[in-house]
């Protein structure tokens, strides 16, 4: 978002709080604590900030939207009552059921005994979800009695997720291709982001454990116009209208994680922010003034057709530290970002990096993402991979097959 907003014609000064080394060339970094909402509002006033855009979910759930509104500051991101769509999976499930929005059948439980009974009622495989925010780790897919035992232990005995698992959803396991769909809403109207596909498993061929995301491309190709309209009609519009009807007007990004089942698209989850690493690909294709669009949405004045996309394909490949997603090793030297960005069309985004004097070191599991645009998916992927091979980090790894399944599908459909 910083990369895209920095290029918006309406923007003459940009701050990032706290930001990261990759943003330093684009924005003034403010060393602020995202938990201190009043201090963030103070900084916005001191720096005469016209618009604040919120990236992560935690400050939204904690009410940054409400604090800024109370202090007369324009902010793009839902108020806490609206961000509950992401912050409470129980709220989201009951909301979907109240408004006839298709979602996996589920039971809400508070004890291990009730969870076990509900799980056996659905039959295996079954999905257990902590109600609250768990940094994307609170969803446990249970395939066997042993998995069930382990999941109940994590949720109710060792309480790995703390109070986030005071309530737990036991949910039918849906099958089908999974897609994500992102829109911007001003409380009434919505405009869609370009489609994207992301890759969550750590290894090639979708093997190995889940991660925060190892790569993406935009468009998704599998989401055709008919399917997009169906998702808008059955999920997105009823969600925005339902939130307004419940006094929780939704202004911000709405991200729906969906399973395309044989009975149509069904909601797996909502996020109240852009998804990573889909956004890296999607925003490389944005064609317009993102700050102006966000400001219009924040004011409740989103213009129809304001989201335009370049007729290019974007690809993103994530490079992760050794042993990610287990306990990644940190503190390794990162080399070669400038060489990667010397390739026309390549942009590198930082995630887990930190400056140490004049060295750049790894500071998180997912370190960087290398993005590229091209006329075709094959071109974009080829360029992203040429870029990532110029980056040097000891022990780091990346998937070598981002987009390969989509290319194969496109070949078949052209055959
Ligand atoms: P969530 O954070 O709710 O999206 O869950 C994380 C991942 O778990 C999703 O991206 C899906 O791959 C999977 N998942 C969640 N709910 C279900 C479900 N009801 N059936 C099958 N897979 C699911």
């Amino acid at each position: 978002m910083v990369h895209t907003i920095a290029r918006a014609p309406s923007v003459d000064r940009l701050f990032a709080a706290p930001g990261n080394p990759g943003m330093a060339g684009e924005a003034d970094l403010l060393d602020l604590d995202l938990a201190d909402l009043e201090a963030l509002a103070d900084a916005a006033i001191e720096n005469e900030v016209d618009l604040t855009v919120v990236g992560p979910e935690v400050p939204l759930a904690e009410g940054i939207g409400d604090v800024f509104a109370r202090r007369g500051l324009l902010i793009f991101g839902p108020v806490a009552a609206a961000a509950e769509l992401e912050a409470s999976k129980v709220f989201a499930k009951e909301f979907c059921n109240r408004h006839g929005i298709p979602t996996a059948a589920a039971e809400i439980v508070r004890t291990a005994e009730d969870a076990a009974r509900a799980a056996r009622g659905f039959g295996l495989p079954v999905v257990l979800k902590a109600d609250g925010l768990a940094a994307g780790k609170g969803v446990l897919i249970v395939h066997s009695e042993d998995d069930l035992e382990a999941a109940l232990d994590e949720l109710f005995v060792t309480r790995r997720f703390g109070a986030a698992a005071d309530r737990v959803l036991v949910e039918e396991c849906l099958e089908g291709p999974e897609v994500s769909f992102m829109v911007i809403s001003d409380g009434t109207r919505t405009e869609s982001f370009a489609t994207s596909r992301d890759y969550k498993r750590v290894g090639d061929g979708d093997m190995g454990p889940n991660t925060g995301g190892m790569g993406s491309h935009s468009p998704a190709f599998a989401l055709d116009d008919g399917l997009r309209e169906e998702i808008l009609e059955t999920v997105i519009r009823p969600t925005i209208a339902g939130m307004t009807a419940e006094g929780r007007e939704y202004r911000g990004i709405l991200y729906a994680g969906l399973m395309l089942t044989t009975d149509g698209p069904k909601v797996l989850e909502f996020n109240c922010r852009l998804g990573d690493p889909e956004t890296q690909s999607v925003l490389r294709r944005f064609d317009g003034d993102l700050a102006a669009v966000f400001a219009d949405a924040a004011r409740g004045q989103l213009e129809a057709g304001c989201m335009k996309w370049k007729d290019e394909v974007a690809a993103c490949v994530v490079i992760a530290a050794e042993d990610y997603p287990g306990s990644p090793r940190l503190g390794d030297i990162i080399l070669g970002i400038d060489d990667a960005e010397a390739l026309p069309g390549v942009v590198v985004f930082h995630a887990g990096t930190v400056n140490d004097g004049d060295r750049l070191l790894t500071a998180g599991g997912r370190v960087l993402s290398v993005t590229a645009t091209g006329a075709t998916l094959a071109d974009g992927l080829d360029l992203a991979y040429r870029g990532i091979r110029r980056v040097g980090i000891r022990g780091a790894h990346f998937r070598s097959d981002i987009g390969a399944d989509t290319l194969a599908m496109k070949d078949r459909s052209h055959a």
Side-chain angles (χ1 to χ4, degrees):
M1 283 201 286
V2 165
H3 176 85
T4 310
I5 291 172
R7 284 155 186 76
S10 65
V11 170
D12 52 41
R13 196 138 181 231
L14 181 62
F15 301 88
N20 70 33
M23 298 173 190
E26 319 245 37
D28 294 337
L29 303 189
L30 300 175
D31 187 16
L32 292 169
D33 177 1
L34 293 192
D36 190 346
L37 305 181
E38 299 292 343
L40 291 163
D42 292 341
I45 291 168
E46 252 162 56
N47 291 296
E48 298 175 20
V49 167
D50 297 312
L51 171 71
T52 300
V53 177
V54 188
E57 67 277 17
V58 172
L60 290 167
E62 286 175 358
I64 191 171
D66 308 74
V67 169
F68 273 53
R70 172 164 52 69
R71 297 185 59 176
L73 294 161
L74 188 66
I75 187 160
F76 178 64
V79 294
E84 243 192 300
L85 267 187
E86 172 167 3
S88 169
K89 288 183 189 288
V90 169
F91 172 80
K93 184 64 66 182
E94 293 182 326
F95 173 86
C96 285
N97 291 338
R98 281 197 292 279
H99 296 277
I101 296 161
T103 183
E107 217 177 296
I108 299 155
V109 299
R110 290 172 181 275
T111 64
E113 295 69 45
D114 286 347
R117 185 191 39 72
R120 298 208 171 90
F122 281 113
L124 302 185
V126 71
V127 185
L128 272 60
K129 299 184 175 183
D131 173 44
L133 293 178
K137 299 187 173 75
V139 174
L140 306 170
I141 300 183
V142 167
H143 294 280
S144 64
E145 282 292 325
D146 284 352
D147 287 357
L148 180 60
E149 199 86 358
L152 296 176
D153 202 59
E154 273 188 84
L155 290 160
F156 296 103
V157 182
T158 62
R159 293 190 50 84
R160 174 176 170 210
F161 306 106
D166 282 350
R167 292 187 294 173
V168 167
L169 283 177
V170 181
E171 187 166 296
E172 83 178 296
C173 191
L174 298 177
E175 275 177 38
E178 191 174 336
V179 298
S180 44
F181 198 78
M182 301 191 285
V183 302
I184 180 169
S185 168
D186 69 355
T188 314
R189 288 158 289 232
T190 60
E191 291 290 317
S192 302
F193 281 84
T195 61
S196 58
R197 156 123 168 77
D198 73 334
Y199 294 80
K200 287 275 187 242
R201 298 295 196 93
V202 73
D204 283 5
D206 277 335
M207 303 298 276
N210 256 325
T211 70
M214 295 301 290
S216 65
H217 60 72
S218 173
F221 297 103
L223 268 179
D224 61 21
D225 287 350
L227 201 45
R228 290 181 47 188
E229 186 47 39
E230 187 179 356
I231 293 168
L232 284 166
E233 196 52 43
T234 61
V235 175
I236 302 297
R237 290 185 197 118
T239 299
I240 299 301
M243 291 298 277
T244 300
E246 296 195 6
R248 297 171 184 261
E249 187 184 68
Y250 198 99
R251 286 188 190 177
I253 307 282
L254 180 67
Y255 168 119
L258 304 160
M259 199 71 95
L260 302 178
T261 73
T262 47
D263 294 335
K266 292 192 181 180
V267 173
L268 298 177
E269 63 159 345
F270 289 116
N271 291 334
C272 55
R273 53 176 168 87
L274 289 173
D276 164 23
E278 297 95 317
T279 304
Q280 287 92 315
S281 287
V282 165
L283 287 186
R284 286 294 316 270
R285 299 181 53 222
F286 182 74
D287 190 11
D289 187 323
L290 194 61
V293 170
F294 284 171
D296 285 348
R299 291 192 191 95
Q301 296 165 353
L302 197 59
E303 273 178 37
C306 62
M307 305 279 273
K308 295 198 177 66
W309 307 97
K310 293 177 196 150
D311 190 19
E312 289 178 330
V313 177
C316 163
V317 186
V318 170
I319 185 161
E322 183 169 348
D323 292 337
Y324 176 80
S327 305
R329 195 182 59 222
L330 310 179
D332 283 310
I333 296 174
I334 304 168
L335 298 171
I337 294 179
D338 291 344
D339 294 339
E341 292 196 314
L343 293 166
V346 170
V347 177
V348 176
F349 296 121
H350 293 223
T353 70
V354 67
N355 280 322
D356 173 47
D358 51 13
R359 300 184 311 169
L360 184 69
L361 304 180
T362 61
R366 290 185 303 152
V367 180
L368 301 166
S369 54
V370 177
T371 66
T373 53
T376 65
L377 179 59
D379 292 346
L381 287 166
D382 180 61
L383 189 54
Y385 276 111
R386 277 201 284 147
I388 209 162
R389 283 191 206 98
R390 293 185 175 194
V391 176
I393 305 169
R394 186 166 64 111
H397 56 99
F398 55 85
R399 273 182 69 158
S400 67
D401 68 342
I402 300 301
D405 53 351
T406 310
L407 283 178
M409 184 191 77
K410 283 164 67 72
D411 281 350
R412 278 200 303 277
S413 64
H414 290 158

